[in-house]
Amino acid sequence: MLNGTLRVARFHLTLYRRTWRATTFTSFLMPLLYLGVVGIGAGSYVENDVEGFSYVQFLAPGLLAVVAFQTAAEEAGFPLYAAIRLTDRYQRMLTAPLSLGQVLAGHLFFITIRAAVSAAVFCAVAALLGVFDSWLCLLLVPVAMVVALAAAAPLFAFTARLTSSANLMTVSRLVVLPLSMFSGVFFPVEDLPAAVQPLIRISPLWHGVELCRGLSGAFTAGSGTAPSFLAGHLGVLLLWAAVGFALTLLVFRRHLSD
Amino acid sequence: MPTFATAGAKLHRSGTFVLRGLLLNRRAWPNFLSTLLEPVILLLALGMGMGRLIGEVTVHGQIMSYEQFVAPAMLATAAVSGVVNETTYSFYAKLTQRLYEGYLATPLTIGELAAGETAWALLCGGVYSSAFLVSMAALGLAPSWWVLLALPGAALISLAFAAVSMAATTFMRRWEDFEQVSIWMLVMTMCSGTVFPLETYPGWGQAIVRLTPLYQGVELLRDLSVGRLTSGTAGHVCYLLAMSVAGFVLARRRLNRLLAN
């Protein structure tokens, strides 16, 4: 099982070594642009602390989770659609001695690696800018990987069902963008209308944001995090990943076999 | 000497482009709605969400709520993004698929072609701007009827950006070049005195931002939407008009070269 998964991941990494330049903007520059413009620019007008952080320190861990989330959404969008509907790459992989589970797990593993690289670059720049007080912020990178997994797996199931690429744009505008903007990254979820809050609290991104922010507080201010806090959020993220993976397998079995 | 009859024929031939766009896009409204959602979401999240944290800002000596500060900026962004799709990707596709060669076998001139495509883009931009203005009003961000004056302002922004991005598209050599478009769009959207006041920048930064077209457009809409008309307002109008003319002339010249034979 593991060997096949690693081979698939290595296939994706080999491709990515050639094509990573095309993702420079979305993976590396866009989060830093938001950090500068919203965190430092608009943040200079936020007078009070937000949940005990200065605004830019409130924003940065949230943006880290967004980086992972958007990387996952990007990979689970057109690249996956193309691989199953246009180039038949998945179908061709399956003619090798690989199981469907291995092909999927390998692709997901590659996505978590991509998220880790983007997150690490973001952390390093934020630490250099003094937004994170301590290099311990690099410990947030594994959290970003879990967020990417929890977002990619259910989106895989969605993309696998599509028969036209037109709906991909709609997903990115109706799901990815609103979640990125309203999951407590830019302002606390409590400021949203009460009716929307429960919806946001389900999303993997919100759990990722809470986790990153809680841990960054623990690393920088030594405020400590309760084990139940960690276990709760991590549990929801892993649940999303597991349910998404199972659903994707189901959808693939039904649609990819014919 | 042109007569009314030839002017009418010119208008008719350019108008064909608007008709073509309408016919082709009559089933594209879900896509339209989701594109419109983008500036509305930014307004909700950055304007109203962050507005609760920021409260009030002082811009050019005037105190206003943060969401009132952001709203005209997002209107300007909607006016731009409404035309940019049609004048970049879509226009490039038509250029490279040699659609225009066929058109030019008819009495259509290249000037009419450029005017027709600009008119179609303007219609798209106008629909986006109006729809965004309605959302603004629904969110309670239209303080008075003066806000309607922002619509012609938004149309001028659309015109200027349509002309320039059409001209820019004639220089594109491959699809990958368009990556630059989305990068510059986002940088412009975020940095042109849209999300935080110009005064936040150091002096030299302010000087640079003042020269950018979106800043000019945003300031124009900030003036128009509250009915404050000054010499500065006229300056913004002149800047955008000059940009429209320059873009159009360049686009026509480039199209002449690309399509002449």
Side-chain angles (χ1 to χ4, degrees):
Chain A
M1 174 76 197
L2 200 61
N3 200 6
T5 304
L6 290 180
R7 274 167 199 278
V8 174
R10 209 168 74 189
F11 164 84
H12 287 288
L13 278 172
T14 310
L15 270 185
Y16 190 61
R17 270 222 316 258
R18 296 294 216 148
T19 56
W20 66 271
R21 276 177 202 86
T23 64
T24 319
F25 182 65
T26 47
S27 303
F28 305 111
L29 298 181
M30 199 153 86
L32 293 171
L33 183 70
Y34 271 93
L35 185 69
V37 170
V38 181
I40 299 172
S44 67
Y45 291 86
V46 179
E47 278 161 13
N48 302 319
D49 280 2
V50 188
E51 294 182 357
F53 296 94
S54 73
Y55 184 73
V56 68
Q57 284 180 331
F58 168 84
L59 180 69
L63 277 179
L64 183 70
V66 171
V67 174
F69 180 73
Q70 293 199 336
T71 304
E74 191 185 305
E75 277 289 331
F78 194 75
L80 178 69
Y81 180 82
I84 54 180
R85 300 279 173 204
L86 305 178
T87 60
D88 286 351
R89 180 180 290 157
Y90 261 52
Q91 287 87 336
R92 281 190 253 171
M93 279 184 172
L94 289 171
T95 59
L98 288 168
S99 73
L100 184 55
Q102 286 170 326
V103 172
L104 280 175
H107 198 169
L108 287 170
F109 184 48
F110 160 69
I111 291 175
T112 60
I113 294 175
R114 254 200 74 185
V117 175
S118 313
V121 171
F122 179 83
C123 280
V125 177
L128 283 175
L129 289 174
V131 173
F132 287 124
D133 294 338
S134 141
W135 285 95
L136 282 174
C137 65
L138 282 173
L139 290 173
L140 293 174
V141 171
V143 181
M145 293 169 79
V146 180
V147 175
L149 194 63
L155 284 170
F156 262 47
F158 181 85
T159 304
R161 283 183 61 92
L162 291 182
T163 47
S164 138
S165 66
N167 290 330
L168 285 172
M169 205 60 191
T170 316
V171 177
S172 85
R173 281 172 180 153
L174 293 188
V175 180
V176 178
L177 182 70
L179 281 184
S180 304
M181 299 312 276
F182 299 119
S183 293
V185 178
F186 295 95
F187 55 91
V189 176
E190 289 75 23
D191 284 350
L192 285 171
V196 192
Q197 288 183 27
L199 276 179
I200 294 293
R201 283 179 209 272
I202 300 171
S203 95
L205 180 55
W206 179 74
H207 290 278
V209 171
E210 287 295 296
L211 207 51
C212 286
R213 194 169 287 142
L215 285 171
S216 102
F219 296 149
T220 56
S223 59
T225 39
S228 61
F229 168 88
L230 285 178
H233 289 302
L234 265 181
V236 176
L237 287 174
L238 291 175
L239 189 69
W240 267 109
V243 171
F245 191 75
L247 270 179
T248 311
L249 272 180
L250 206 75
V251 174
F252 270 103
R253 292 243 157 82
R254 203 171 284 170
H255 293 261
L256 210 61
S257 47
D258 46 74
Chain B
M1 190 180 148
T3 61
F4 280 120
T6 55
K10 269 180 170 313
L11 207 62
H12 175 78
R13 287 195 289 265
S14 292
T16 316
F17 286 85
V18 177
L19 200 63
R20 175 185 190 275
L22 285 174
L23 273 172
L24 274 177
N25 288 287
R26 66 191 185 279
R27 270 183 256 275
W29 60 268
N31 195 17
F32 161 78
L33 279 182
S34 71
T35 311
L36 175 69
L37 214 62
E38 211 168 308
V40 175
I41 286 174
L42 284 178
L43 177 64
L44 280 172
L46 296 182
M48 310 193 93
M50 284 203 63
R52 291 187 83 150
L53 302 175
I54 291 180
E56 286 172 336
V57 285
T58 311
V59 189
H60 308 321
Q62 282 198 319
I63 299 174
M64 59 177 90
S65 75
Y66 183 67
E67 49 262 48
Q68 271 169 348
F69 167 75
V70 173
M74 291 301 135
L75 176 59
T77 310
V80 175
S81 60
V83 294
V84 159
N85 256 339
E86 290 305 320
T87 48
T88 54
Y89 305 101
S90 176
F91 183 56
Y92 185 73
K94 291 178 200 163
L95 269 178
T96 49
Q97 288 164 3
R98 312 203 144 213
L99 185 73
Y100 293 139
E101 267 92 336
Y103 286 14
L104 291 170
T106 69
L108 182 83
T109 66
I110 285 180
E112 288 159 6
L113 185 157
E117 287 293 8
T118 312
W120 162 240
L122 262 183
L123 180 69
C124 296
V127 173
Y128 277 109
S129 313
S130 324
F132 184 81
L133 198 67
V134 171
S135 338
M136 246 172 86
L139 291 168
L141 291 173
S144 75
W145 287 102
W146 279 113
V147 100
L148 284 180
L149 207 56
L151 267 187
L156 181 58
I157 297 173
S158 291
L159 178 67
F161 275 88
V164 165
S165 70
M166 243 165 77
T169 300
T170 60
F171 288 98
M172 301 283 181
R173 286 196 217 133
R174 46 188 116 69
W175 280 105
E176 286 78 11
D177 292 345
F178 284 101
E179 205 151 297
Q180 309 286 328
V181 175
S182 39
I183 295 177
W184 284 109
M185 276 289 293
L186 187 74
V187 173
M188 209 173 61
T189 305
M190 302 297 279
C191 302
S192 307
T194 42
V195 181
F196 53 85
L198 183 74
E199 286 82 355
T200 322
Y201 287 104
W204 56 269
Q206 290 185 23
I208 295 174
V209 173
R210 263 178 216 283
L211 292 177
T212 63
L214 188 63
Y215 173 78
Q216 297 283 334
V218 168
E219 286 299 302
L220 174 67
L221 294 193
R222 286 210 174 108
D223 286 352
L224 289 179
S225 61
V226 293
R228 179 184 55 224
L229 305 175
T230 63
S231 59
T233 322
H236 302 316
V237 171
C238 290
Y239 179 106
L240 292 169
L241 277 177
M243 185 175 153
S244 312
V245 173
F248 190 79
V249 170
L250 180 62
R252 201 170 64 173
R253 225 174 57 202
R254 288 283 305 167
L255 285 175
N256 252 323
R257 187 181 301 177
L258 290 174
L259 298 171
N261 31 40

